[in-house]
Amino acid sequence: MPKKPTKAASPSTAPILANGPAAAGPDTAPASNRATRAAERRAAIVEAAMEEFIARGFAATRLDDIAKRAGVAKGTIYLHFKDKESMFEELVRIVIVPVVARLTTLPPPAGSVRDLIETFAGNFLKEVIGTRRGDLVRLIVAEGPRFPSVADFYYREVVSRGIAAMRALIELGIARGEIRQKDLARYPQILVAPAMIAVIWQSLFARHAPLDAQEMLRVHLDLIFGERRTT
Amino acid sequence: MPKKPTKAASPSTAPILANGPAAAGPDTAPASNRATRAAERRAAIVEAAMEEFIARGFAATRLDDIAKRAGVAKGTIYLHFKDKESMFEELVRIVIVPVVARLTTLPPPAGSVRDLIETFAGNFLKEVIGTRRGDLVRLIVAEGPRFPSVADFYYREVVSRGIAAMRALIELGIARGEIRQKDLARYPQILVAPAMIAVIWQSLFARHAPLDAQEMLRVHLDLIFGERRTT
Amino acid sequence: MPKKPTKAASPSTAPILANGPAAAGPDTAPASNRATRAAERRAAIVEAAMEEFIARGFAATRLDDIAKRAGVAKGTIYLHFKDKESMFEELVRIVIVPVVARLTTLPPPAGSVRDLIETFAGNFLKEVIGTRRGDLVRLIVAEGPRFPSVADFYYREVVSRGIAAMRALIELGIARGEIRQKDLARYPQILVAPAMIAVIWQSLFARHAPLDAQEMLRVHLDLIFGERRTT
Amino acid sequence: MPKKPTKAASPSTAPILANGPAAAGPDTAPASNRATRAAERRAAIVEAAMEEFIARGFAATRLDDIAKRAGVAKGTIYLHFKDKESMFEELVRIVIVPVVARLTTLPPPAGSVRDLIETFAGNFLKEVIGTRRGDLVRLIVAEGPRFPSVADFYYREVVSRGIAAMRALIELGIARGEIRQKDLARYPQILVAPAMIAVIWQSLFARHAPLDAQEMLRVHLDLIFGERRTT
DNA sequence: TATGAATGAGATTTCATTCAT
DNA sequence: CATGAATGAAATCTCATTCAT
């Protein structure tokens, strides 16, 4: 087995769960009450588990390593999660839910559809491609078949909503005359395909041939909206 | 862990390695000489290992199951492969090489570029999406980061060549006036992105929302070549 | 292979590590705190491993048997030792160190050199020949070539020191006129050779022809110091 | 396990079984008839097995390696020996018998007892210490307890005879007035002890502190016979 | 007679899970 | 609540032995 890279492969070292004091690492100043401490520990476990699962996949991840990285004892993990499997399943939920929550409170749709999509793609580039969150996508692709509940959840919460949102945007674009090909609304996957490819490419082939995701997405949007006059 | 489905999840039950009598299953009539028998066993192991790796991933696959499925004793595997890891690495090579070989002996480019690509895409649909070979792509995406040599090999043998071939086709399309957007040649990934997405979609979400890959690819090609007059 | 004699061949059943309550067997009353219990288990493993290694040699010893004999689970061994090999290497150190420690705190040299050596030889007879410690010497002879680190350690800690001590005694004997042959100081091995032979003889040939080691050593000392007038 | 030294540790590379065309290596010109060929193979197996057993001990020796070294197939070994165990037992006999045979046809006792013993010791030095045959002695010491039949055989054929021969020599020396200490005849082991120590020393400690066995034996004989006037 | 591919019991080692402290 | 030593089932890998060729 390729020896364990103690550090995750991802260039981004920012925690996958970002926000609030509860997400702080284990060496933070001791919080006031019991409940807070427990929440901190739980957050540390989630964070650590995510890193390990991303770096090694479900089966090859050791609870020992998660515990070490989270700065807790092995037994502590079992106070928060039933077992390794359900930990993995819960984890995906825990990590994805806030992301979805943020997406559903989108900025108000202003400007052209292309601008909307470009803004969205820009965020996606910044926050997903080449980050831990991108690795999470790859993790779900990798483990999905063995964790139908994970695949189900991901489809329900992320994919189906994303597809619906894209379809709405496309239809808006068609209605406004920005997009000429009506059939595109039937396959919103086409709109996001290059972005997904970019995510995977970064994980696997970045060191062979770096990919300028931003520029690729621009070319792709030109294909859909027509090339821009001015830049 | 989702209890082991002895049968692979893949809908296609055709062997991933297709050709010749040597690839026959273990219940074939006994062949003449020892060398042939050995080759048969080896092929059975490769076939069985591929199924198991696809169904469970590298770490969760048991050599015991591979042996059982191949109809050989556990020790026999070690006559053909050094250990589990190098078996996995060799396996990917063994399975991919003939595919690449077939691709490089492509039919002579005749007709329009769109026709060429459509023919190619048709083959791809038939032979990859929803088949074991598609699952293999997903497996490589899943295990690539832990098996850099596999990712390297796959990039070198499949991805870089595929990208080059696509770029050549795109440039031909541009030269002939079939494709208007010149920038596309810089990102051939855009051309194949929907096909890759289709592969992954089939593995993960087919039961939630079946995807008509053929139709999606047609829409995508319309985007690139312009919509067809007649259908 | 001569079927496994569950009990060691050695006549002495006293533990090779003698001292303190921590060395007690597994069926002792449970001690107070965890650290003590862990130390007890470790001691039990060391004791059991020594017995098994002596009885069967390194390669033929099964960790299963060590675990059974020590009254612990197989996995427990790996909490204390990295693997079988380093267990063996550590074991020799663990067992030898206290012996060496005791030897270096020798009784103050009093009386004639011959008396000194006879006292020493007497202790050696009682504590080494025909005991587990004697078997340990044979074990080191047996496994030394395959465990250079063990041979090194044994040479450094035991042999070179023993040789040096014997040389000092011989030179003292020469200076006092008790020993006439000056060259003996160049080969202190001659002084201890019969004792070593006795150790090996007991392990291998005792049942064919018992050897009165004590008497043999007396004859040998007569050779060196001259025969005693009275006895 | 200390990685297998493909070459034996012994400095002497001469075969342990020395003589006659039947002992020739595997790449000798093909002999005339079947029986000869079979004898050659058997000899090659014996030779190879001895090397491997000496280098690794009984349990750690692989039949595969013996076969490879002997230049025969693994199955061939089973045409000559029942199994690994009885191969080891027979081996010791096969190797030792001719040695004993040679010893029993000793040169006629001429000259002083000391000269006799010195001649004998000289041969011993040349033919045993630091050679494969010396390693064989160590092997018997190592494996004896697990192979009582080997220890028995060795005691019967070599040790008891050697002891008897030494005793006879000692008694002759006493009768002739060369040896003054009469008790020595009761412990002929004392006579050979330094030689045995030298054998073991070479195997284990030669690289830490080389031992001039010849000189040590001379000093020892001086102890027994008195120091020589002239040299 | 000789081969060496195949076997499968058995060895070492790992690691998710438990539970006394 | 938290711990981490202990467990033991299960995994990988080895190798003496067999047997069809």
Side-chain angles (χ1 to χ4, degrees):
Chain A
M1 171 96 37
K3 302 322 166 297
K4 42 170 168 171
T6 297
K7 283 302 173 188
S10 170
S12 159
T13 53
I16 198 164
L17 281 176
N19 336 303
D27 10 16
T28 315
S32 49
N33 55 47
R34 278 274 192 79
T36 309
R37 290 281 298 275
E40 274 175 15
R41 280 171 190 281
R42 188 184 165 89
I45 292 169
V46 168
E47 184 67 33
M50 215 64 229
E51 303 259 2
E52 294 288 331
F53 282 136
I54 284 171
R56 302 203 218 304
F58 175 79
T61 290
R62 289 184 294 267
L63 291 192
D64 240 343
D65 289 343
I66 293 177
K68 219 163 285 167
R69 190 190 274 262
V72 302
K74 235 189 314 179
T76 306
I77 294 176
Y78 285 84
L79 300 175
H80 292 274
F81 300 96
K82 179 174 154 287
D83 58 16
K84 195 186 175 187
E85 242 184 85
S86 49
M87 174 165 63
F88 181 71
E89 294 175 355
E90 280 191 54
L91 235 55
V92 175
R93 284 171 174 72
I94 292 170
V95 173
I96 282 178
V97 162
V99 175
V100 171
R102 207 140 45 91
L103 286 185
T104 53
T105 59
L106 267 176
S112 71
V113 170
R114 169 145 197 175
D115 286 343
L116 263 176
I117 291 182
E118 270 192 356
T119 305
F120 182 79
N123 284 334
F124 188 84
L125 284 173
K126 206 169 43 197
E127 301 200 358
V128 177
I129 291 178
T131 71
R132 295 269 157 76
R133 265 190 271 271
D135 291 328
L136 175 61
V137 171
R138 217 207 62 249
L139 181 63
I140 290 168
V141 169
E143 305 289 355
R146 265 147 291 156
F147 288 91
S149 78
V150 165
D152 290 1
F153 175 83
Y154 190 69
Y155 178 76
R156 195 160 13 92
E157 297 297 316
V158 180
V159 175
S160 67
R161 295 181 185 204
I163 292 289
M166 289 304 119
R167 175 171 290 127
L169 277 177
I170 292 167
E171 284 170 345
L172 185 61
I174 292 170
R176 288 195 186 168
E178 289 185 62
I179 296 172
R180 293 175 52 203
Q181 194 181 356
K182 298 194 168 55
D183 279 342
L184 195 59
R186 289 163 53 212
Y187 295 102
Q189 288 93 342
I190 292 173
L191 187 59
V192 295
M196 296 302 303
I197 292 305
V199 168
I200 291 170
W201 189 282
Q202 292 305 333
S203 294
L204 296 181
F205 308 129
R207 70 176 174 292
H208 301 102
L211 182 66
D212 183 339
Q214 179 137 30
E215 183 64 5
M216 181 172 77
L217 292 190
R218 195 192 58 73
V219 172
H220 186 232
L221 292 183
D222 280 351
L223 203 57
I224 292 170
F225 291 94
E227 292 185 60
R228 284 216 150 128
R229 304 293 133 79
T230 60
T231 306
Chain B
M1 169 99 31
K3 301 321 164 300
K4 44 169 169 170
T6 297
K7 281 303 173 188
S10 169
S12 158
T13 54
I16 199 163
L17 281 177
N19 339 304
D27 8 8
T28 315
S32 48
N33 57 47
R34 283 220 286 214
T36 309
R37 292 281 296 275
E40 276 174 15
R41 279 170 189 279
R42 188 185 165 88
I45 291 169
V46 168
E47 185 66 33
M50 216 64 229
E51 303 257 4
E52 294 288 332
F53 281 137
I54 284 171
R56 301 201 219 305
F58 175 79
T61 290
R62 291 183 293 267
L63 291 187
D64 236 348
D65 289 343
I66 293 177
K68 222 162 281 167
R69 189 190 276 261
V72 302
K74 241 182 311 175
T76 305
I77 293 175
Y78 288 86
L79 299 177
H80 294 275
F81 300 96
K82 182 176 151 290
D83 59 15
K84 194 186 173 187
E85 243 184 85
S86 50
M87 175 163 64
F88 181 71
E89 294 175 355
E90 279 191 57
L91 236 54
V92 174
R93 284 170 174 71
I94 291 171
V95 173
I96 281 178
V97 162
V99 175
V100 170
R102 208 141 45 90
L103 286 185
T104 53
T105 59
L106 267 178
S112 71
V113 170
R114 167 146 198 174
D115 287 342
L116 264 175
I117 291 182
E118 271 194 354
T119 305
F120 182 80
N123 284 333
F124 189 84
L125 284 173
K126 207 168 42 197
E127 300 199 359
V128 178
I129 291 179
T131 72
R132 294 270 157 73
R133 264 190 270 271
D135 291 329
L136 176 61
V137 171
R138 215 207 65 248
L139 181 63
I140 290 169
V141 169
E143 305 289 354
R146 264 147 293 157
F147 288 92
S149 79
V150 165
D152 289 359
F153 175 83
Y154 191 68
Y155 178 77
R156 193 162 12 92
E157 296 298 317
V158 180
V159 174
S160 68
R161 296 182 185 203
I163 293 289
M166 289 304 119
R167 176 171 289 128
L169 276 177
I170 293 167
E171 284 169 346
L172 185 61
I174 292 170
R176 288 195 187 166
E178 291 184 61
I179 296 172
R180 294 175 50 205
Q181 193 181 356
K182 298 195 167 58
D183 279 343
L184 195 59
R186 289 163 54 212
Y187 295 101
Q189 288 94 342
I190 292 173
L191 187 59
V192 297
M196 295 302 304
I197 293 305
V199 167
I200 291 170
W201 189 282
Q202 292 303 335
S203 295
L204 296 181
F205 308 129
R207 70 177 174 292
H208 302 101
L211 181 66
D212 182 340
Q214 180 137 30
E215 184 63 5
M216 181 172 76
L217 292 191
R218 196 192 56 73
V219 171
H220 186 232
L221 292 184
D222 280 351
L223 203 58
I224 292 170
F225 291 94
E227 294 186 60
R228 285 218 150 124
R229 303 294 133 79
T230 60
T231 303
Chain C
M1 167 98 35
K3 298 323 165 294
K4 43 169 170 171
T6 298
K7 281 302 171 188
S10 170
S12 158
T13 53
I16 198 164
L17 280 178
N19 337 305
D27 9 12
T28 316
S32 47
N33 57 49
R34 283 219 287 215
T36 310
R37 291 279 297 275
E40 276 174 15
R41 278 169 190 280
R42 188 185 165 90
I45 291 169
V46 168
E47 186 65 35
M50 216 63 229
E51 304 258 4
E52 295 288 331
F53 281 138
I54 284 171
R56 300 201 221 305
F58 175 79
T61 290
R62 291 183 293 267
L63 291 189
D64 235 349
D65 289 343
I66 294 176
K68 223 163 280 167
R69 189 190 276 261
V72 302
K74 242 182 309 175
T76 305
I77 293 175
Y78 288 86
L79 298 177
H80 294 275
F81 301 96
K82 181 176 151 290
D83 57 17
K84 193 185 176 188
E85 241 184 85
S86 49
M87 175 163 63
F88 181 72
E89 294 175 354
E90 278 191 58
L91 237 52
V92 175
R93 284 169 174 72
I94 291 170
V95 174
I96 281 178
V97 162
V99 176
V100 170
R102 207 141 45 91
L103 287 185
T104 53
T105 59
L106 268 179
S112 72
V113 170
R114 166 143 196 174
D115 286 342
L116 262 176
I117 291 182
E118 268 190 359
T119 305
F120 182 80
N123 284 333
F124 188 83
L125 285 173
K126 206 169 44 195
E127 299 200 357
V128 177
I129 291 178
T131 70
R132 293 270 157 74
R133 264 190 272 269
D135 291 329
L136 176 62
V137 172
R138 216 207 63 248
L139 181 62
I140 290 168
V141 169
E143 305 289 353
R146 263 147 293 155
F147 288 90
S149 78
V150 165
D152 289 1
F153 175 83
Y154 190 68
Y155 178 77
R156 193 161 14 92
E157 297 297 317
V158 180
V159 174
S160 67
R161 295 181 184 203
I163 293 290
M166 290 304 118
R167 175 171 290 130
L169 277 177
I170 292 167
E171 284 170 347
L172 186 61
I174 293 169
R176 290 195 186 168
E178 291 183 62
I179 295 173
R180 294 174 52 204
Q181 193 180 355
K182 297 193 170 55
D183 280 344
L184 195 59
R186 289 164 52 213
Y187 295 102
Q189 288 93 341
I190 292 173
L191 187 60
V192 296
M196 295 302 304
I197 293 305
V199 167
I200 291 170
W201 189 282
Q202 292 303 334
S203 295
L204 295 181
F205 308 130
R207 70 176 174 292
H208 302 102
L211 180 67
D212 183 339
Q214 180 137 31
E215 183 64 5
M216 180 172 77
L217 292 191
R218 197 193 54 74
V219 171
H220 186 232
L221 291 184
D222 280 351
L223 203 58
I224 292 170
F225 291 93
E227 291 184 64
R228 283 219 151 124
R229 303 294 132 80
T230 61
T231 301
Chain D
M1 167 100 33
K3 301 322 165 299
K4 43 169 169 173
T6 297
K7 284 301 173 188
S10 171
S12 159
T13 53
I16 199 164
L17 280 177
N19 334 304
D27 9 12
T28 315
S32 49
N33 56 46
R34 277 274 192 81
T36 310
R37 290 279 300 274
E40 276 175 14
R41 282 169 188 279
R42 187 183 165 89
I45 291 169
V46 168
E47 184 66 34
M50 216 63 229
E51 304 258 4
E52 294 288 331
F53 283 137
I54 285 171
R56 303 204 217 304
F58 174 79
T61 290
R62 289 184 293 266
L63 291 193
D64 240 342
D65 290 342
I66 294 177
K68 218 164 285 166
R69 191 189 274 262
V72 303
K74 234 187 315 177
T76 305
I77 294 175
Y78 285 84
L79 299 175
H80 293 274
F81 301 96
K82 179 174 153 290
D83 57 17
K84 194 186 174 188
E85 245 184 82
S86 50
M87 175 165 62
F88 181 71
E89 293 174 356
E90 279 191 57
L91 235 56
V92 176
R93 285 171 174 72
I94 292 170
V95 174
I96 281 178
V97 163
V99 176
V100 171
R102 206 138 47 91
L103 287 185
T104 54
T105 60
L106 267 178
S112 71
V113 170
R114 168 145 197 173
D115 286 342
L116 263 176
I117 292 182
E118 272 194 353
T119 305
F120 181 79
N123 283 333
F124 188 83
L125 283 173
K126 207 170 42 199
E127 300 199 359
V128 177
I129 291 178
T131 71
R132 295 268 157 75
R133 264 192 273 270
D135 291 328
L136 176 61
V137 172
R138 214 207 66 248
L139 181 63
I140 290 167
V141 169
E143 305 288 354
R146 265 147 292 157
F147 289 91
S149 79
V150 165
D152 290 0
F153 175 83
Y154 190 69
Y155 178 76
R156 195 164 9 94
E157 297 297 317
V158 180
V159 175
S160 68
R161 294 181 186 204
I163 293 289
M166 289 303 118
R167 177 172 288 128
L169 276 177
I170 291 167
E171 284 169 347
L172 186 61
I174 292 169
R176 290 193 185 169
E178 289 183 64
I179 295 173
R180 295 174 49 203
Q181 195 182 356
K182 299 196 169 55
D183 279 343
L184 195 59
R186 289 163 54 213
Y187 296 101
Q189 289 93 342
I190 292 172
L191 188 60
V192 296
M196 296 301 304
I197 293 305
V199 167
I200 292 170
W201 189 282
Q202 292 303 334
S203 295
L204 296 182
F205 308 130
R207 72 176 173 291
H208 302 102
L211 181 67
D212 182 340
Q214 180 137 29
E215 184 64 4
M216 181 172 76
L217 293 190
R218 196 193 57 72
V219 172
H220 187 232
L221 292 183
D222 280 353
L223 203 59
I224 293 171
F225 292 95
E227 293 185 61
R228 285 218 150 126
R229 304 292 131 81
T230 61
T231 305

